[in-house]
Amino acid sequence: MNTTPYSVTRSSQAARIAAILGAVTLVVLIAAPWWAGRADMRLMGELFLYLSLATLWNLMAGYAGLVSVGQQAYVGFGGYMLFALTMFGGLHPLAAIALAGILGALISIPVAVLIFRLRGAYFAIGTWVIAEVFRLGFAQVSALGGGSGSSLPVAIVKSLASKRAMRESLSYWLALGAAVLVISAVYLFLRSRKGLALTAIRDNEMAASSLGIDIWRTKFIVYVVTSAFTAMIGALIFLQKLRISPDAAFSVNDWTAFVIFIVVIGGIGTIEGPIIGTLVFFLLRETLADLGTTYLIVLGVVAIVVMLKAPKGIWGLIRSRFELQIFPLGYRVTKRN
Amino acid sequence: MDWLNAIVQGTLLGGLYALFAAGLSLIFGVMRLVNIAHGDLIVLGAYLGLTVTTATGLHPLMALAIVVPAMALIGYVLQRGLLNQTLGDDLLPPLLVTFGLSVIIQNALLEGYTADPQKLSAGGLETASFAVGGLTLGVLPAVTFAIAIAVIWGLQWVFYHTALGRAFRAVSDNQDIAQLMGLNKRHIFGLAMALALAVTAVAGILLGIRTSFDPSIGGGRLIFGFEAVIIGGLGNLWGTLAGGVILGVAQTIGAKIDPGWQILAGHIAFLIILAVRPNGLFPRISA
């Protein structure tokens, strides 16, 4: 049967090398508590959480075409669920994080039904309204500190681990684990049948629909799953911060603007994009931090320039030059020699 | 009587929201562009008003004579220099570029004017009131509402009775054919944005006289404007005024029940209308 001179491959040499490098990096990162300082671990933990948020936003906007500027709704919701479930439900923080994800999924269902009525850019602002409703709603709950917020009680913090160093390592590993989980989940999802449907919708909605793909349902599933994961990341973020307030939890700048810039700069609609974007974002932030607000202006300018001059981002530029794919999603046909 | 008062005050507040919304509605109607930076541009208008009034000692309403053309110029330059490049079938570029613009304007204002709340001083106009049938109405809200009606009437007139309006409608219907007929769509889009930001300047100054403002409040104004547009129905200017009034009334009634509920009540009214009438109350264009 070996008569055809063509073969279909999915992986490539580059992808295999990248996979090995990735595995090595992962081992090094897991070992961070033994080689990194406290400040570095905190920074890396934050980086992993941003990476997770960016990967999730990219799945929604880059693949499902659901451009949301209201993801802070689920970040804040997850954070508040962590506080509520541990303080009043007596749950262990880890159980609360998992449950925050489930509750995030549940609350996203009616939200999706409502805002999926809005198209395109109006959908985007509609998600923002939802986030504002969440913010104002949680600000009304006096048990959670109302508008001024509350801190996580010491007993709950200690229930995670009694020693401070152990707690810091644990929260670092949780952030790293979340990033690995989110990226793997998105990768496996995009390689699955549903992911193929999603990619088809991204490329041409009408053609996808004519092939029998239920567009509404596919987008709905993506929205709900993204919301669940975002709520869990939100819970992790506020487990790191130990303090929550409506303005911090539902900040459009912190949890959506930065995330969007990360994805756009790195390359929207690719798995590699958010990874590169996160690294660039943290590099910019750490070097320009002294400039204060000017740094945000620079970030905005960079995002606009990238969007206009290189809409596929940094990874798009690299890929168009080198034909590279680190996460093999597509198939390629090659001629056998 | 208290409730009637809340409704009347809310109606007048709706005039301000309609002014927030008119610019959004206009540019969406002409070029299908949703400007996420709209709220920050309103705040920019208020700050320009502040600079003009402190520099010249003019009354804020007189400062409009300088701020309106300035904002119109900014709008034209912004559209020709930046936003025209984002227009196309893909909705991401305009969305992300205006989002970036929003962050830039916000932080530039923060840099230039600090985070301290500011206010435009309009002297006696701020507190003046008159009595109508047992209700006491503020002169400023009443003037704002009258200006809103005048602005929307004016935009409507420009749209349906002038050559510029015909050009707007033509590029809105079919850009390519309008281009073939000798219209320069880039220039028309520039003029549409100039007109939108002229309205935004009026909205910004009235906002600044009514309440204190700081660089961070743009997002909230964008949301109110957007809600008024959706409630009223896309592409319908008088509908936008109705949307603003519904939003304003919902807020004042919410505030009457519990002061913490003011903004939330407006959002909830918006969501209910979205659930019941997804195309708004008086739709003209389907999005």
Side-chain angles (χ1 to χ4, degrees), chain A residues 206-228:
Chain A
M206 203 184 278
S209 161
S210 71
L211 287 171
I213 295 170
D214 187 337
I215 292 177
W216 194 93
R217 204 166 141 244
T218 309
K219 290 186 173 187
F220 176 78
I221 292 169
V222 169
Y223 185 81
V224 171
V225 171
T226 308
S227 305

Side-chain angles (χ1 to χ4, degrees), chain A residues 67 114 117 120-122 125-126 128-129 132-133 136 140 253 257 260 264 268 293-294 296-297 301 304 307-308, chain B residues 28 34 82 86 91-92 95-97 99 106-107 110-111 222-223 226-227 230 234 260-261 264 267 274-275 278:
Chain A
V67 183
L114 204 55
R117 294 170 166 223
Y122 279 96
I125 311 180
W128 196 348
V129 173
E132 284 298 290
V133 169
L136 295 163
Q140 295 292 318
N253 272 348
I260 294 180
V264 170
I268 193 165
T293 51
T294 312
L296 292 171
I297 299 176
V301 171
I304 289 179
M307 192 76 242
L308 291 178
Chain B
F28 181 81
V34 175
L82 184 67
T86 67
L91 75 100
L92 255 168
L95 200 83
L96 296 187
V97 168
F99 202 48
Q106 225 178 84
N107 288 288
L110 197 61
E111 199 89 331
L222 167 71
I223 289 178
F226 155 80
E227 287 176 334
I230 299 280
L234 283 175
W261 274 80
L264 197 53
H267 292 332
L274 184 62

Side-chain angles (χ1 to χ4, degrees), chain A residues 129-195:
Chain A
V129 173
I130 298 290
E132 284 298 290
V133 169
F134 279 31
R135 179 175 71 85
L136 295 163
F138 278 106
Q140 295 292 318
V141 184
S142 51
L144 287 164
S148 50
S150 60
S151 299
L152 204 58
V154 180
I156 291 168
V157 180
K158 289 226 161 117
S159 74
L160 207 53
S162 53
K163 283 216 179 63
R164 181 173 175 170
M166 192 57 210
R167 274 201 303 276
E168 278 168 352
S169 305
L170 192 62
S171 112
Y172 168 84
W173 282 324
L174 283 171
L176 175 62
V180 172
L181 175 73
V182 166
I183 293 174
S184 321
V186 168
Y187 173 60
L188 292 174
F189 174 71
L190 288 175
R191 280 176 71 120
S192 74
R193 209 179 142 75
K194 280 258 177 293

Side-chain angles (χ1 to χ4, degrees), chain A residues 255-277:
Chain A
W255 314 127
T256 299
F258 292 166
V259 168
I260 294 180
F261 291 165
I262 286 173
V263 175
V264 170
I265 291 170
I268 193 165
T270 63
I271 297 186
E272 295 87 346
I275 302 176
I276 295 174

